[in-house]
Amino acid sequence: MASDLEEKAKEAFVEDHFELAVELLSQAITLDPLKPEFYADRAQAHIKLNNFTDAVADANKAIELNPSLSKAYLRKGNACMKLEEYQTAKTALETGASLAADKSRFVKLIEECDELIAEESDTIPTQEKSTTQDPTSKDVQPEDLSEEPIVVVAKPKYRLVQIFYCLFGLWRVLTLRHEFYQKPEEVVVTIFAKGVSKESITVDFGEQILSVNIDVPGEDAYVFQNRLFGKIVPSRCRYEVLTTKIEIRLAKAESIPWKTLEFNKETTIAPKAIASVTATQRPTYPSSKPKRTDWDKLEAQVKKEEKDENLDGDAALNKFFREIYQDADEDTRRAMKKSFVESNGTVLSTNWKEVGTKKVEGSPPDGMELKKWEY
């Protein structure tokens, strides 16, 4: 079953369906978590999607499972170069080159790393390389003069953290990150954590505190516990654990916009002014209130406009297929996915009974030939 998913992932990769390739390889890893090729191939799909930290994590896992897998070092080198971690990339590429039968790709990337490392050294200002102390002094060695500016001037502080992650493979720390967005009545916090079980997660809601604890086997627990920007209603808050993330919904105690997720003295909520109005004195704008946006109504309006949109040609056909998929049951969706992937985009069936028991062969248009490219 895992090998079938691997083949489908390769087909999706050839068709530039990289999101589907990641999904299929993730399913294969669930079935066979000790096969390093799955992680190495998923790292390549992540690179195509510009998910470079995820690519480094998968490459590190593949190397951990099989230290002789040369393509895992190639994936890691490519991803680290995109993260501008050229020294780490060079180390990985040199190791991979020593294991690979064909060293040409490694040699080319190593040369590129050398050029980029040299360019970084050249960007250091001359005055940063100089010092007021005597170069012959025992307290300051010549090599110290060249290394210190590289860290302080050429590299921002956060880059050192990225180097640390790449060197030691702490991929879980990179993938466990959070972001938030808000509606008038609630704040939605998303913690990106792949493959985390519901039993390993503890979420507690306070009047103005959100506490999240995720136990990761063999690693330090991920803890998020901060005072929130505004007050919430704990009894109305909830959370849901999905395959790639944890979605937490915080019910606001007051319908006010939050400037940040966490409490900050500089962005505290201004106290409401209480106006004293006498019988002979009237406020200038007695009914002025902040205008609220009905997001549910706006979303419904956008969906209605999309549905009523008049299209022609391929756009109309694509819209037609999207509507079929959106309103279909699970078997119909599975049939559409399977037929489209296995036929290389030439067949789209909605009959699961017909396509579920056999492989869907490609059916190219008249005058065209279906060719399978090597992965």
Side-chain angles (χ1 to χ4, degrees):
M1 182 62 179
S3 59
D4 293 339
L5 291 169
E6 183 183 21
E7 288 301 319
K8 292 178 182 178
K10 290 179 179 180
E11 293 174 3
F13 198 96
V14 171
E15 296 296 327
D16 292 343
H17 297 156
F18 304 120
E19 295 90 347
L20 179 59
V22 169
E23 181 180 347
L24 292 169
L25 288 167
S26 298
Q27 295 176 21
I29 288 172
T30 302
L31 297 174
D32 187 359
L34 299 180
K35 188 171 181 179
E37 286 78 5
F38 291 164
Y39 295 95
D41 291 344
R42 191 171 69 174
Q44 180 66 1
H46 278 309
I47 291 173
K48 294 294 184 179
L49 293 170
N50 295 329
N51 300 331
F52 303 121
T53 54
D54 290 337
V56 172
D58 278 343
N60 281 333
K61 184 63 177 179
I63 292 169
E64 176 187 338
L65 294 172
N66 182 4
S68 301
L69 188 62
S70 61
K71 71 176 180 179
Y73 294 96
L74 182 64
R75 307 288 193 252
K76 181 176 180 178
N78 269 318
C80 287
M81 287 181 68
K82 296 296 184 180
L83 291 170
E84 298 182 9
E85 301 300 340
Y86 305 124
Q87 194 61 56
T88 305
K90 181 180 177 181
T91 301
L93 292 168
E94 288 176 340
T95 305
S98 66
L99 300 169
D102 182 7
K103 306 181 188 298
S104 58
R105 297 177 66 184
F106 291 93
V107 172
K108 183 178 179 181
L109 289 174
I110 291 171
E111 291 175 353
E112 187 176 345
C113 279
D114 287 335
E115 293 175 0
L116 293 169
I117 292 171
E119 288 179 6
E120 282 191 333
S121 301
D122 292 340
T123 59
I124 304 172
T126 304
Q127 58 268 29
E128 293 292 340
K129 295 185 179 180
S130 63
T131 179
T132 56
Q133 298 188 30
D134 188 349
T136 61
S137 172
K138 295 181 180 180
D139 296 331
V140 181
Q141 298 298 329
E143 54 268 25
D144 294 334
L145 300 178
S146 61
E147 291 180 0
E148 185 67 20
I150 294 177
V151 175
V152 177
V153 179
K155 293 282 187 178
K157 184 177 180 181
Y158 75 91
R159 292 274 296 284
L160 296 176
V161 179
Q162 290 180 341
I163 293 174
F164 182 80
Y165 292 156
C166 290
L167 288 174
F168 294 94
L170 298 180
W171 62 274
R172 181 72 69 175
V173 179
L174 286 170
T175 55
L176 288 175
R177 65 187 191 280
H178 72 274
E179 63 183 29
F180 82 103
Y181 68 91
Q182 60 182 305
K183 300 179 181 179
E185 305 297 332
E186 69 175 4
V187 174
V188 181
V189 181
T190 302
I191 299 177
F192 295 93
K194 296 181 179 179
V196 177
S197 64
K198 191 173 184 178
E199 293 75 19
S200 65
I201 300 170
T202 304
V203 181
D204 293 318
F205 304 102
E207 185 179 3
Q208 200 172 347
I209 293 290
L210 171 62
S211 176
V212 182
N213 188 292
I214 304 176
D215 291 325
V216 181
E219 300 177 22
D220 293 335
Y222 172 85
V223 179
F224 177 92
Q225 182 169 330
N226 286 290
R227 183 181 177 187
L228 301 172
F229 180 87
K231 293 186 177 181
I232 59 176
V233 183
S235 61
R236 291 167 49 199
C237 298
R238 63 189 189 280
Y239 72 97
E240 184 178 6
V241 181
L242 305 174
T243 56
T244 59
K245 63 184 179 180
I246 305 164
E247 195 170 83
I248 304 170
R249 295 184 176 272
L250 306 174
K252 293 182 180 178
E254 297 179 278
S255 299
I256 56 173
W258 289 16
K259 295 182 181 179
T260 60
L261 176 61
E262 302 169 13
F263 176 85
N264 189 316
K265 292 182 178 180
E266 297 179 359
T267 57
T268 53
I269 303 172
K272 296 181 179 179
I274 302 176
S276 177
V277 182
T278 62
T280 58
Q281 183 182 16
R282 299 181 61 187
T284 306
Y285 301 100
S287 61
S288 61
K289 293 183 180 179
K291 185 178 180 181
R292 294 183 180 179
T293 302
D294 189 340
W295 297 104
D296 293 335
K297 182 179 179 181
L298 182 59
E299 182 181 5
Q301 181 181 351
V302 170
K303 288 184 178 179
K304 184 178 183 301
E305 290 176 355
E306 289 179 349
K307 188 174 182 180
D308 296 340
E309 185 179 10
N310 293 323
L311 300 173
D312 54 12
D314 290 342
L317 185 60
N318 289 334
K319 179 185 176 185
F320 174 69
F321 288 138
R322 285 199 306 269
E323 290 176 350
I324 293 177
Y325 186 85
Q326 182 178 356
D327 299 331
D329 56 26
E330 186 61 27
D331 283 346
T332 301
R333 291 186 177 186
R334 290 165 61 192
M336 294 177 73
K337 285 183 180 179
K338 185 174 186 296
S339 61
F340 187 82
V341 171
E342 292 183 351
S343 68
N344 293 314
T346 60
V347 175
L348 187 63
S349 173
T350 58
N351 190 340
W352 176 248
K353 292 182 179 179
E354 178 183 339
V355 303
T357 57
K358 60 181 181 180
K359 182 177 180 180
V360 181
E361 300 296 334
S363 178
D366 293 339
M368 300 186 69
E369 179 183 355
L370 185 63
K371 183 176 181 181
K372 185 175 181 180
W373 297 91
E374 294 184 0
Y375 178 73

